[in-house]
Amino acid sequence: MNKTLLIIQREYLARVKKKSFILMTFLVPGLILAMYAVIYLIAANSDSLNKVREIKVIDESGVFAGKLKDHKNIHFSVLSQSLSEAKKAAKKNEDLFVLFIPKDLTAKNSVQIFSKKKPNFALVNEVENQLNTVATGNNMAAAGIDVVKLSGLKSNISAETKQLTDDGEKDSNLASAYGIGVASAILIYLSLFIYGAQVMRGVIEEKTNRIIEVIVSSVKPFQLMLGKILGVGLVGLTQFLLWIVLSTTVTNIAEKAFTKHETATEQSNQTQIKGGKNSTAQAQPPIGNPVMSFLNSLKGVNYPYIIGCFIFYFLSGYLLYSALFAAVGSAVDSETETQQFMFPITLPLLFTYILSFAFLVNNPDSSLAFWLSVIPFTAPIAMMVRVPFGVPGWQLALSMVMMIAGFLFTTWVAARIYRVGVLMYGKKASYKELAKWFFYKE
């Protein structure tokens, strides 16, 4: 045990003292703060960042001219010149669009938009929505329906989600659950690859340098493998704990700074409204900023529960996969030879990672989500996607028991391969060869 602790100490200190470790530990929270600031500024100044698009309307039907309203960065104006002249003008101006509306609107794709550059989807959707609104209004008027009364009857209802608990009602915080679930899946996926690859590279480096021959004369191969796995795992855990503390601090700073700015802006707008100095556009309430909405939704998150689950699934998933990575490192003589063994090992992770965005975040309580969160090879990602949405206690307990059993089994299998492969040189390994190594007697 003392020898294993020495290996753990050596692996841990050698990596923690590196400049790259210190740099990344403090760089990631800084990048998070920068991301908040950039998204906040883009959302707050989205109108000023976008160019004003001029849409010249040639309306041969006589139905739409003068009824299309300006919207954000889109300005409509009626054009009296011919279509050919308008096209020539559009070729000289990238911000000019020509909207041609023929007399007959029954033909498919009869309405056309001409421009030098391709229009974006937002512009095309806005034009189509306004054309459909005007056309629908004309059709209802022709049918004797009062459009003004009908528009006054329209409602704008939004649902606020509440979760019923033993302590009473509380906000569901869907935005934060979705964001935390996706972020956890990404972090688990990347960390298992990064730290598992570090174990594999360390084994390959010691094997190719023949240092391993000296080391195994003093310690057993299993002790060496276990010390290397635990040492690198503690490095990852240390970095994640520092990231959690620093990121939480950065998030609180960002929330206070953005809240202060929002309050000052709102007070300034109210002062201008009372003074009568603002126009109609200025009197409108500010558009909700997505950063502020997300930061507010984070207030109801059960951080001890989320962080506790994250640490468990990071450690158990790391121990499971790093043992297999160590076995692969012991079976090859260079990193280029690892590809044939790496793909089958990482396929369950990649499969679950893709499903996290395509299915699991929208169906966290489905049968597929349950089985993926129980199978040890897929549970670290699948369960961390589900945890923010709430997981029954028995499912979480079953998943944790399966993870413990899974990494104990894979460590045993990997150790039997490692004890033979780490001393093999110049022989290209195959799956058949690995099976032989597994069944060799002590």
Side-chain angles (χ1 to χ4, degrees), residues 42-55 68-76 120 122-123 126 130 281 284-288:
I42 290 175
N45 303 285
S46 58
D47 292 339
S48 61
L49 292 174
N50 294 325
K51 291 182 178 179
V52 176
R53 309 295 183 180
E54 184 77 18
I55 300 181
L68 301 178
K69 300 178 181 179
D70 294 346
H71 177 76
K72 290 185 179 179
N73 300 97
I74 301 175
H75 176 66
F76 292 96
N120 56 50
L123 183 143
E126 180 60 28
Q130 292 214 30
Q284 295 175 354
I287 299 173

PDB file of all heavy atoms in Angstrom, residues 42-55 68-76 120 122-123 126 130 281 284-288:
ATOM      1  N   ILE A  42     -24.092  41.141 -26.787  1.00  0.00           N
ATOM      2  CA  ILE A  42     -24.712  40.889 -28.095  1.00  0.00           C
ATOM      3  C   ILE A  42     -26.218  41.000 -28.003  1.00  0.00           C
ATOM      4  O   ILE A  42     -26.870  41.604 -28.862  1.00  0.00           O
ATOM      5  CB  ILE A  42     -24.294  39.496 -28.620  1.00  0.00           C
ATOM      6  CG1 ILE A  42     -22.813  39.511 -29.014  1.00  0.00           C
ATOM      7  CG2 ILE A  42     -25.143  39.095 -29.820  1.00  0.00           C
ATOM      8  CD1 ILE A  42     -22.286  38.147 -29.426  1.00  0.00           C
ATOM      9  N   ALA A  43     -26.797  40.410 -26.932  1.00  0.00           N
ATOM     10  CA  ALA A  43     -28.250  40.470 -26.766  1.00  0.00           C
ATOM     11  C   ALA A  43     -28.722  41.898 -26.487  1.00  0.00           C
ATOM     12  O   ALA A  43     -29.770  42.320 -26.981  1.00  0.00           O
ATOM     13  CB  ALA A  43     -28.686  39.547 -25.634  1.00  0.00           C
ATOM     14  N   ALA A  44     -27.942  42.639 -25.694  1.00  0.00           N
ATOM     15  CA  ALA A  44     -28.340  44.001 -25.345  1.00  0.00           C
ATOM     16  C   ALA A  44     -28.200  44.965 -26.516  1.00  0.00           C
ATOM     17  O   ALA A  44     -28.924  45.963 -26.613  1.00  0.00           O
ATOM     18  CB  ALA A  44     -27.504  44.500 -24.169  1.00  0.00           C
ATOM     19  N   ASN A  45     -27.256  44.692 -27.408  1.00  0.00           N
ATOM     20  CA  ASN A  45     -27.001  45.600 -28.529  1.00  0.00           C
ATOM     21  C   ASN A  45     -27.248  44.916 -29.868  1.00  0.00           C
ATOM     22  O   ASN A  45     -26.602  45.256 -30.866  1.00  0.00           O
ATOM     23  CB  ASN A  45     -25.550  46.103 -28.481  1.00  0.00           C
ATOM     24  CG  ASN A  45     -25.224  46.801 -27.172  1.00  0.00           C
ATOM     25  OD1 ASN A  45     -25.626  47.926 -26.941  1.00  0.00           O
ATOM     26  ND2 ASN A  45     -24.476  46.106 -26.321  1.00  0.00           N
ATOM     27  N   SER A  46     -28.167  43.969 -29.872  1.00  0.00           N
ATOM     28  CA  SER A  46     -28.406  43.210 -31.107  1.00  0.00           C
ATOM     29  C   SER A  46     -28.896  44.095 -32.240  1.00  0.00           C
ATOM     30  O   SER A  46     -28.540  43.904 -33.397  1.00  0.00           O
ATOM     31  CB  SER A  46     -29.421  42.091 -30.849  1.00  0.00           C
ATOM     32  OG  SER A  46     -30.634  42.632 -30.349  1.00  0.00           O
ATOM     33  N   ASP A  47     -29.718  45.101 -31.899  1.00  0.00           N
ATOM     34  CA  ASP A  47     -30.239  45.973 -32.948  1.00  0.00           C
ATOM     35  C   ASP A  47     -29.147  46.821 -33.579  1.00  0.00           C
ATOM     36  O   ASP A  47     -29.125  47.032 -34.790  1.00  0.00           O
ATOM     37  CB  ASP A  47     -31.340  46.886 -32.385  1.00  0.00           C
ATOM     38  CG  ASP A  47     -32.578  46.089 -32.013  1.00  0.00           C
ATOM     39  OD1 ASP A  47     -32.729  44.968 -32.537  1.00  0.00           O
ATOM     40  OD2 ASP A  47     -33.372  46.581 -31.201  1.00  0.00           O
ATOM     41  N   SER A  48     -28.225  47.324 -32.753  1.00  0.00           N
ATOM     42  CA  SER A  48     -27.163  48.185 -33.269  1.00  0.00           C
ATOM     43  C   SER A  48     -26.102  47.399 -34.025  1.00  0.00           C
ATOM     44  O   SER A  48     -25.406  47.947 -34.881  1.00  0.00           O
ATOM     45  CB  SER A  48     -26.513  48.958 -32.118  1.00  0.00           C
ATOM     46  OG  SER A  48     -25.929  48.056 -31.193  1.00  0.00           O
ATOM     47  N   LEU A  49     -25.977  46.098 -33.716  1.00  0.00           N
ATOM     48  CA  LEU A  49     -24.975  45.290 -34.396  1.00  0.00           C
ATOM     49  C   LEU A  49     -25.433  44.860 -35.783  1.00  0.00           C
ATOM     50  O   LEU A  49     -24.606  44.564 -36.640  1.00  0.00           O
ATOM     51  CB  LEU A  49     -24.653  44.049 -33.557  1.00  0.00           C
ATOM     52  CG  LEU A  49     -23.917  44.305 -32.239  1.00  0.00           C
ATOM     53  CD1 LEU A  49     -23.787  43.014 -31.455  1.00  0.00           C
ATOM     54  CD2 LEU A  49     -22.540  44.896 -32.487  1.00  0.00           C
ATOM     55  N   ASN A  50     -26.737  44.793 -35.994  1.00  0.00           N
ATOM     56  CA  ASN A  50     -27.267  44.367 -37.294  1.00  0.00           C
ATOM     57  C   ASN A  50     -27.444  45.556 -38.224  1.00  0.00           C
ATOM     58  O   ASN A  50     -27.855  46.639 -37.802  1.00  0.00           O
ATOM     59  CB  ASN A  50     -28.619  43.661 -37.115  1.00  0.00           C
ATOM     60  CG  ASN A  50     -28.481  42.361 -36.355  1.00  0.00           C
ATOM     61  OD1 ASN A  50     -27.496  41.669 -36.501  1.00  0.00           O
ATOM     62  ND2 ASN A  50     -29.477  42.051 -35.533  1.00  0.00           N
ATOM     63  N   LYS A  51     -27.138  45.335 -39.491  1.00  0.00           N
ATOM     64  CA  LYS A  51     -27.355  46.378 -40.491  1.00  0.00           C
ATOM     65  C   LYS A  51     -28.842  46.534 -40.774  1.00  0.00           C
ATOM     66  O   LYS A  51     -29.617  45.596 -40.673  1.00  0.00           O
ATOM     67  CB  LYS A  51     -26.629  46.013 -41.790  1.00  0.00           C
ATOM     68  CG  LYS A  51     -25.117  46.051 -41.700  1.00  0.00           C
ATOM     69  CD  LYS A  51     -24.526  45.726 -43.063  1.00  0.00           C
ATOM     70  CE  LYS A  51     -22.998  45.794 -43.025  1.00  0.00           C
ATOM     71  NZ  LYS A  51     -22.409  45.456 -44.339  1.00  0.00           N
ATOM     72  N   VAL A  52     -29.235  47.739 -41.140  1.00  0.00           N
ATOM     73  CA  VAL A  52     -30.615  47.988 -41.539  1.00  0.00           C
ATOM     74  C   VAL A  52     -30.782  47.510 -42.974  1.00  0.00           C
ATOM     75  O   VAL A  52     -30.067  47.955 -43.887  1.00  0.00           O
ATOM     76  CB  VAL A  52     -30.972  49.485 -41.424  1.00  0.00           C
ATOM     77  CG1 VAL A  52     -32.390  49.730 -41.937  1.00  0.00           C
ATOM     78  CG2 VAL A  52     -30.836  49.951 -39.979  1.00  0.00           C
ATOM     79  N   ARG A  53     -31.704  46.597 -43.182  1.00  0.00           N
ATOM     80  CA  ARG A  53     -31.966  46.059 -44.510  1.00  0.00           C
ATOM     81  C   ARG A  53     -33.119  46.825 -45.151  1.00  0.00           C
ATOM     82  O   ARG A  53     -34.206  46.912 -44.582  1.00  0.00           O
ATOM     83  CB  ARG A  53     -32.320  44.573 -44.424  1.00  0.00           C
ATOM     84  CG  ARG A  53     -31.330  43.740 -43.618  1.00  0.00           C
ATOM     85  CD  ARG A  53     -29.965  43.681 -44.245  1.00  0.00           C
ATOM     86  NE  ARG A  53     -29.065  42.826 -43.475  1.00  0.00           N
ATOM     87  CZ  ARG A  53     -27.805  42.583 -43.790  1.00  0.00           C
ATOM     88  NH1 ARG A  53     -27.283  43.152 -44.857  1.00  0.00           N
ATOM     89  NH2 ARG A  53     -27.059  41.802 -43.049  1.00  0.00           N
ATOM     90  N   GLU A  54     -32.868  47.349 -46.320  1.00  0.00           N
ATOM     91  CA  GLU A  54     -33.885  48.106 -47.050  1.00  0.00           C
ATOM     92  C   GLU A  54     -34.588  47.167 -48.015  1.00  0.00           C
ATOM     93  O   GLU A  54     -33.948  46.539 -48.877  1.00  0.00           O
ATOM     94  CB  GLU A  54     -33.229  49.255 -47.828  1.00  0.00           C
ATOM     95  CG  GLU A  54     -34.191  50.160 -48.552  1.00  0.00           C
ATOM     96  CD  GLU A  54     -34.903  51.133 -47.633  1.00  0.00           C
ATOM     97  OE1 GLU A  54     -34.405  51.342 -46.510  1.00  0.00           O
ATOM     98  OE2 GLU A  54     -35.943  51.689 -48.024  1.00  0.00           O
ATOM     99  N   ILE A  55     -35.898  47.030 -47.881  1.00  0.00           N
ATOM    100  CA  ILE A  55     -36.686  46.178 -48.770  1.00  0.00           C
ATOM    101  C   ILE A  55     -37.595  47.061 -49.616  1.00  0.00           C
ATOM    102  O   ILE A  55     -38.519  47.701 -49.093  1.00  0.00           O
ATOM    103  CB  ILE A  55     -37.515  45.146 -47.987  1.00  0.00           C
ATOM    104  CG1 ILE A  55     -36.594  44.228 -47.164  1.00  0.00           C
ATOM    105  CG2 ILE A  55     -38.365  44.313 -48.932  1.00  0.00           C
ATOM    106  CD1 ILE A  55     -37.317  43.157 -46.385  1.00  0.00           C
ATOM    107  N   LEU A  68     -47.065  46.811 -45.221  1.00  0.00           N
ATOM    108  CA  LEU A  68     -45.956  46.098 -44.572  1.00  0.00           C
ATOM    109  C   LEU A  68     -45.262  47.045 -43.605  1.00  0.00           C
ATOM    110  O   LEU A  68     -44.875  48.152 -43.977  1.00  0.00           O
ATOM    111  CB  LEU A  68     -44.974  45.585 -45.627  1.00  0.00           C
ATOM    112  CG  LEU A  68     -45.565  44.617 -46.668  1.00  0.00           C
ATOM    113  CD1 LEU A  68     -44.512  44.225 -47.693  1.00  0.00           C
ATOM    114  CD2 LEU A  68     -46.122  43.373 -45.993  1.00  0.00           C
ATOM    115  N   LYS A  69     -45.090  46.602 -42.358  1.00  0.00           N
ATOM    116  CA  LYS A  69     -44.561  47.477 -41.311  1.00  0.00           C
ATOM    117  C   LYS A  69     -43.082  47.194 -41.048  1.00  0.00           C
ATOM    118  O   LYS A  69     -42.630  46.066 -41.129  1.00  0.00           O
ATOM    119  CB  LYS A  69     -45.358  47.257 -40.011  1.00  0.00           C
ATOM    120  CG  LYS A  69     -46.843  47.565 -40.158  1.00  0.00           C
ATOM    121  CD  LYS A  69     -47.587  47.288 -38.858  1.00  0.00           C
ATOM    122  CE  LYS A  69     -49.077  47.577 -39.009  1.00  0.00           C
ATOM    123  NZ  LYS A  69     -49.819  47.284 -37.751  1.00  0.00           N
ATOM    124  N   ASP A  70     -42.344  48.267 -40.724  1.00  0.00           N
ATOM    125  CA  ASP A  70     -40.928  48.120 -40.389  1.00  0.00           C
ATOM    126  C   ASP A  70     -40.780  47.253 -39.140  1.00  0.00           C
ATOM    127  O   ASP A  70     -41.596  47.321 -38.213  1.00  0.00           O
ATOM    128  CB  ASP A  70     -40.285  49.481 -40.141  1.00  0.00           C
ATOM    129  CG  ASP A  70     -40.253  50.330 -41.402  1.00  0.00           C
ATOM    130  OD1 ASP A  70     -40.477  49.762 -42.488  1.00  0.00           O
ATOM    131  OD2 ASP A  70     -40.001  51.541 -41.298  1.00  0.00           O
ATOM    132  N   HIS A  71     -39.712  46.459 -39.123  1.00  0.00           N
ATOM    133  CA  HIS A  71     -39.501  45.541 -37.997  1.00  0.00           C
ATOM    134  C   HIS A  71     -38.015  45.460 -37.689  1.00  0.00           C
ATOM    135  O   HIS A  71     -37.225  45.032 -38.532  1.00  0.00           O
ATOM    136  CB  HIS A  71     -40.050  44.149 -38.348  1.00  0.00           C
ATOM    137  CG  HIS A  71     -39.820  43.119 -37.289  1.00  0.00           C
ATOM    138  ND1 HIS A  71     -40.565  43.061 -36.126  1.00  0.00           N
ATOM    139  CD2 HIS A  71     -38.926  42.104 -37.199  1.00  0.00           C
ATOM    140  CE1 HIS A  71     -40.147  42.059 -35.383  1.00  0.00           C
ATOM    141  NE2 HIS A  71     -39.145  41.457 -36.007  1.00  0.00           N
ATOM    142  N   LYS A  72     -37.622  45.886 -36.480  1.00  0.00           N
ATOM    143  CA  LYS A  72     -36.229  45.851 -36.036  1.00  0.00           C
ATOM    144  C   LYS A  72     -35.314  46.481 -37.077  1.00  0.00           C
ATOM    145  O   LYS A  72     -35.328  47.678 -37.281  1.00  0.00           O
ATOM    146  CB  LYS A  72     -35.813  44.419 -35.696  1.00  0.00           C
ATOM    147  CG  LYS A  72     -36.466  43.875 -34.435  1.00  0.00           C
ATOM    148  CD  LYS A  72     -35.923  42.497 -34.088  1.00  0.00           C
ATOM    149  CE  LYS A  72     -36.558  41.974 -32.799  1.00  0.00           C
ATOM    150  NZ  LYS A  72     -36.072  40.629 -32.433  1.00  0.00           N
ATOM    151  N   ASN A  73     -34.540  45.642 -37.798  1.00  0.00           N
ATOM    152  CA  ASN A  73     -33.570  46.162 -38.756  1.00  0.00           C
ATOM    153  C   ASN A  73     -34.046  46.023 -40.198  1.00  0.00           C
ATOM    154  O   ASN A  73     -33.242  45.971 -41.124  1.00  0.00           O
ATOM    155  CB  ASN A  73     -32.221  45.453 -38.583  1.00  0.00           C
ATOM    156  CG  ASN A  73     -31.642  45.643 -37.201  1.00  0.00           C
ATOM    157  OD1 ASN A  73     -31.795  44.789 -36.344  1.00  0.00           O
ATOM    158  ND2 ASN A  73     -31.001  46.767 -36.963  1.00  0.00           N
ATOM    159  N   ILE A  74     -35.348  45.948 -40.378  1.00  0.00           N
ATOM    160  CA  ILE A  74     -35.926  45.828 -41.721  1.00  0.00           C
ATOM    161  C   ILE A  74     -36.795  47.059 -41.996  1.00  0.00           C
ATOM    162  O   ILE A  74     -37.661  47.403 -41.187  1.00  0.00           O
ATOM    163  CB  ILE A  74     -36.768  44.544 -41.850  1.00  0.00           C
ATOM    164  CG1 ILE A  74     -35.905  43.313 -41.570  1.00  0.00           C
ATOM    165  CG2 ILE A  74     -37.390  44.444 -43.231  1.00  0.00           C
ATOM    166  CD1 ILE A  74     -36.688  42.018 -41.557  1.00  0.00           C
ATOM    167  N   HIS A  75     -36.559  47.720 -43.128  1.00  0.00           N
ATOM    168  CA  HIS A  75     -37.325  48.905 -43.496  1.00  0.00           C
ATOM    169  C   HIS A  75     -37.980  48.671 -44.854  1.00  0.00           C
ATOM    170  O   HIS A  75     -37.305  48.388 -45.849  1.00  0.00           O
ATOM    171  CB  HIS A  75     -36.421  50.143 -43.564  1.00  0.00           C
ATOM    172  CG  HIS A  75     -37.125  51.378 -44.037  1.00  0.00           C
ATOM    173  ND1 HIS A  75     -38.123  51.985 -43.313  1.00  0.00           N
ATOM    174  CD2 HIS A  75     -36.981  52.110 -45.179  1.00  0.00           C
ATOM    175  CE1 HIS A  75     -38.567  53.042 -43.965  1.00  0.00           C
ATOM    176  NE2 HIS A  75     -37.887  53.138 -45.108  1.00  0.00           N
ATOM    177  N   PHE A  76     -39.311  48.777 -44.894  1.00  0.00           N
ATOM    178  CA  PHE A  76     -40.061  48.589 -46.132  1.00  0.00           C
ATOM    179  C   PHE A  76     -40.347  49.950 -46.774  1.00  0.00           C
ATOM    180  O   PHE A  76     -40.629  50.940 -46.084  1.00  0.00           O
ATOM    181  CB  PHE A  76     -41.393  47.875 -45.865  1.00  0.00           C
ATOM    182  CG  PHE A  76     -41.246  46.443 -45.436  1.00  0.00           C
ATOM    183  CD1 PHE A  76     -41.263  46.098 -44.090  1.00  0.00           C
ATOM    184  CD2 PHE A  76     -41.101  45.434 -46.374  1.00  0.00           C
ATOM    185  CE1 PHE A  76     -41.133  44.775 -43.693  1.00  0.00           C
ATOM    186  CE2 PHE A  76     -40.968  44.114 -45.974  1.00  0.00           C
ATOM    187  CZ  PHE A  76     -40.995  43.784 -44.638  1.00  0.00           C
ATOM    188  N   ASN A 120     -30.862  36.364 -44.959  1.00  0.00           N
ATOM    189  CA  ASN A 120     -30.882  35.413 -43.843  1.00  0.00           C
ATOM    190  C   ASN A 120     -32.306  34.925 -43.594  1.00  0.00           C
ATOM    191  O   ASN A 120     -33.279  35.490 -44.100  1.00  0.00           O
ATOM    192  CB  ASN A 120     -30.285  36.046 -42.585  1.00  0.00           C
ATOM    193  CG  ASN A 120     -30.980  37.335 -42.198  1.00  0.00           C
ATOM    194  OD1 ASN A 120     -32.206  37.392 -42.107  1.00  0.00           O
ATOM    195  ND2 ASN A 120     -30.205  38.388 -41.973  1.00  0.00           N
ATOM    196  N   ALA A 122     -34.090  35.045 -40.892  1.00  0.00           N
ATOM    197  CA  ALA A 122     -34.926  35.965 -40.120  1.00  0.00           C
ATOM    198  C   ALA A 122     -35.628  36.952 -41.041  1.00  0.00           C
ATOM    199  O   ALA A 122     -36.820  37.257 -40.864  1.00  0.00           O
ATOM    200  CB  ALA A 122     -34.067  36.703 -39.096  1.00  0.00           C
ATOM    201  N   LEU A 123     -34.896  37.479 -42.033  1.00  0.00           N
ATOM    202  CA  LEU A 123     -35.497  38.447 -42.965  1.00  0.00           C
ATOM    203  C   LEU A 123     -36.585  37.783 -43.799  1.00  0.00           C
ATOM    204  O   LEU A 123     -37.690  38.332 -43.950  1.00  0.00           O
ATOM    205  CB  LEU A 123     -34.403  39.029 -43.862  1.00  0.00           C
ATOM    206  CG  LEU A 123     -34.825  40.124 -44.849  1.00  0.00           C
ATOM    207  CD1 LEU A 123     -33.720  41.173 -44.985  1.00  0.00           C
ATOM    208  CD2 LEU A 123     -35.136  39.546 -46.237  1.00  0.00           C
ATOM    209  N   GLU A 126     -39.687  37.035 -41.684  1.00  0.00           N
ATOM    210  CA  GLU A 126     -40.440  38.242 -41.355  1.00  0.00           C
ATOM    211  C   GLU A 126     -41.265  38.708 -42.545  1.00  0.00           C
ATOM    212  O   GLU A 126     -42.439  39.097 -42.392  1.00  0.00           O
ATOM    213  CB  GLU A 126     -39.478  39.349 -40.912  1.00  0.00           C
ATOM    214  CG  GLU A 126     -40.158  40.660 -40.536  1.00  0.00           C
ATOM    215  CD  GLU A 126     -41.149  40.521 -39.387  1.00  0.00           C
ATOM    216  OE1 GLU A 126     -40.967  39.613 -38.542  1.00  0.00           O
ATOM    217  OE2 GLU A 126     -42.114  41.304 -39.344  1.00  0.00           O
ATOM    218  N   GLN A 130     -45.418  38.752 -42.578  1.00  0.00           N
ATOM    219  CA  GLN A 130     -46.194  39.973 -42.830  1.00  0.00           C
ATOM    220  C   GLN A 130     -47.088  39.825 -44.059  1.00  0.00           C
ATOM    221  O   GLN A 130     -48.241  40.295 -44.050  1.00  0.00           O
ATOM    222  CB  GLN A 130     -45.243  41.161 -42.990  1.00  0.00           C
ATOM    223  CG  GLN A 130     -44.511  41.540 -41.721  1.00  0.00           C
ATOM    224  CD  GLN A 130     -44.262  43.036 -41.622  1.00  0.00           C
ATOM    225  OE1 GLN A 130     -45.033  43.846 -42.145  1.00  0.00           O
ATOM    226  NE2 GLN A 130     -43.196  43.404 -40.927  1.00  0.00           N
ATOM    227  N   ALA A 281     -40.331  54.491 -29.499  1.00  0.00           N
ATOM    228  CA  ALA A 281     -39.408  53.357 -29.450  1.00  0.00           C
ATOM    229  C   ALA A 281     -38.659  53.308 -28.137  1.00  0.00           C
ATOM    230  O   ALA A 281     -38.386  52.248 -27.603  1.00  0.00           O
ATOM    231  CB  ALA A 281     -38.429  53.439 -30.618  1.00  0.00           C
ATOM    232  N   GLN A 284     -40.537  51.802 -24.995  1.00  0.00           N
ATOM    233  CA  GLN A 284     -40.787  50.380 -24.886  1.00  0.00           C
ATOM    234  C   GLN A 284     -39.909  49.762 -23.799  1.00  0.00           C
ATOM    235  O   GLN A 284     -38.780  50.178 -23.596  1.00  0.00           O
ATOM    236  CB  GLN A 284     -40.493  49.694 -26.224  1.00  0.00           C
ATOM    237  CG  GLN A 284     -41.453  50.141 -27.323  1.00  0.00           C
ATOM    238  CD  GLN A 284     -41.063  49.540 -28.654  1.00  0.00           C
ATOM    239  OE1 GLN A 284     -40.030  48.897 -28.771  1.00  0.00           O
ATOM    240  NE2 GLN A 284     -41.900  49.748 -29.655  1.00  0.00           N
ATOM    241  N   PRO A 285     -40.396  48.761 -23.088  1.00  0.00           N
ATOM    242  CA  PRO A 285     -39.588  48.110 -22.055  1.00  0.00           C
ATOM    243  C   PRO A 285     -38.435  47.364 -22.680  1.00  0.00           C
ATOM    244  O   PRO A 285     -38.528  46.888 -23.807  1.00  0.00           O
ATOM    245  CB  PRO A 285     -40.577  47.131 -21.392  1.00  0.00           C
ATOM    246  CG  PRO A 285     -41.626  46.888 -22.425  1.00  0.00           C
ATOM    247  CD  PRO A 285     -41.736  48.145 -23.203  1.00  0.00           C
ATOM    248  N   PRO A 286     -37.310  47.245 -21.970  1.00  0.00           N
ATOM    249  CA  PRO A 286     -36.160  46.538 -22.520  1.00  0.00           C
ATOM    250  C   PRO A 286     -36.451  45.066 -22.735  1.00  0.00           C
ATOM    251  O   PRO A 286     -37.181  44.446 -21.986  1.00  0.00           O
ATOM    252  CB  PRO A 286     -35.076  46.731 -21.458  1.00  0.00           C
ATOM    253  CG  PRO A 286     -35.821  46.974 -20.200  1.00  0.00           C
ATOM    254  CD  PRO A 286     -37.075  47.687 -20.582  1.00  0.00           C
ATOM    255  N   ILE A 287     -35.855  44.526 -23.795  1.00  0.00           N
ATOM    256  CA  ILE A 287     -36.022  43.115 -24.106  1.00  0.00           C
ATOM    257  C   ILE A 287     -35.236  42.283 -23.098  1.00  0.00           C
ATOM    258  O   ILE A 287     -34.116  42.613 -22.755  1.00  0.00           O
ATOM    259  CB  ILE A 287     -35.538  42.822 -25.538  1.00  0.00           C
ATOM    260  CG1 ILE A 287     -36.356  43.629 -26.528  1.00  0.00           C
ATOM    261  CG2 ILE A 287     -35.633  41.348 -25.863  1.00  0.00           C
ATOM    262  CD1 ILE A 287     -35.856  43.539 -27.953  1.00  0.00           C
ATOM    263  N   GLY A 288     -35.838  41.196 -22.603  1.00  0.00           N
ATOM    264  CA  GLY A 288     -35.163  40.356 -21.623  1.00  0.00           C
ATOM    265  C   GLY A 288     -33.864  39.788 -22.159  1.00  0.00           C
ATOM    266  O   GLY A 288     -33.814  39.275 -23.275  1.00  0.00           O
TER     267      GLY A 288
END
